Amino acid sequence: MDSLLSRIGVREEDRPWVEFALKIVLLYGLWKVFQLTVNNTPVLLAWWKGWTDVYSHKVATLGNKFFEALGYEVTYHYYKAIYLLSTPGIMIEEHCLAIPATLIFGFFIAVFQGPWKHKLWFIPLGMIGVQAINFIRLVGLTFLMKHAPARYFDFNHSVTALIFEYGLVFLMIVYWMRKYYHYNDHSDSGHASPSLRTEKSVS
């Protein structure tokens, strides 16, 4: 990718961000192709729905137990929902699980420049981080449903919570780009050590 961007005239200091944009678009396109394939293949659709239903239940159960620990009254009215007493409840459907953000993050780091010895810990840790961020988003929305007028929930569900989630995911990717984009493992007297490939920093 770096040599291709060089050939088409992209400046060296701009290449990380151009590569970032191109790979995000590509990975999002692959995700949409995957969704289309699953939705039009009954066997895959049944497997996918079964898996997401189980995961939704796990997330909802964790949310309910979290609020119980804080002293809230919780009703397990539906196994895929976080239900606080006197609220309509938050339904945890497939689109609430941050699956696209998690997968795109993992695949992005896998195909982006950087040493694999760091990718092997950064990818799983980052994917867990994306899910943790999403859980915080769901908890925050549940608090709003309980303690704020409906208009605040609607706005934050549609705008603020998504900006919070994807903003933090973006910051994790930026951290990788700044710390590992210009690093490369090479041998020095038989010992592998990270070294800067160039003195220019990513800005």
Side-chain angles (χ1 to χ4, degrees), residues 37-47:
T37 302
V38 168
N39 290 334
N40 288 278
T41 308
V43 174
L44 289 177
L45 183 60
W47 168 80

Side-chain angles (χ1 to χ4, degrees), residues 2 33 60 63 83 88 91 119 155 162 176 189 191 198-199:
D2 195 59
V33 170
Y83 267 112
M91 301 293 293
K119 289 182 180 182
F155 176 79
L162 290 178
W176 174 267
S189 303
H191 298 283
T198 175
E199 293 181 357

Side-chain angles (χ1 to χ4, degrees), residues 155-176:
F155 176 79
N156 285 281
H157 177 265
S158 302
V159 180
T160 308
L162 290 178
I163 292 174
F164 166 76
E165 179 177 342
Y166 283 95
L168 290 178
V169 173
F170 175 74
L171 289 178
M172 288 195 294
I173 293 175
V174 169
Y175 173 81
W176 174 267

Side-chain angles (χ1 to χ4, degrees), residues 24 113 121 139 161:
I24 284 291
Q113 290 191 34
W121 64 263
V139 166

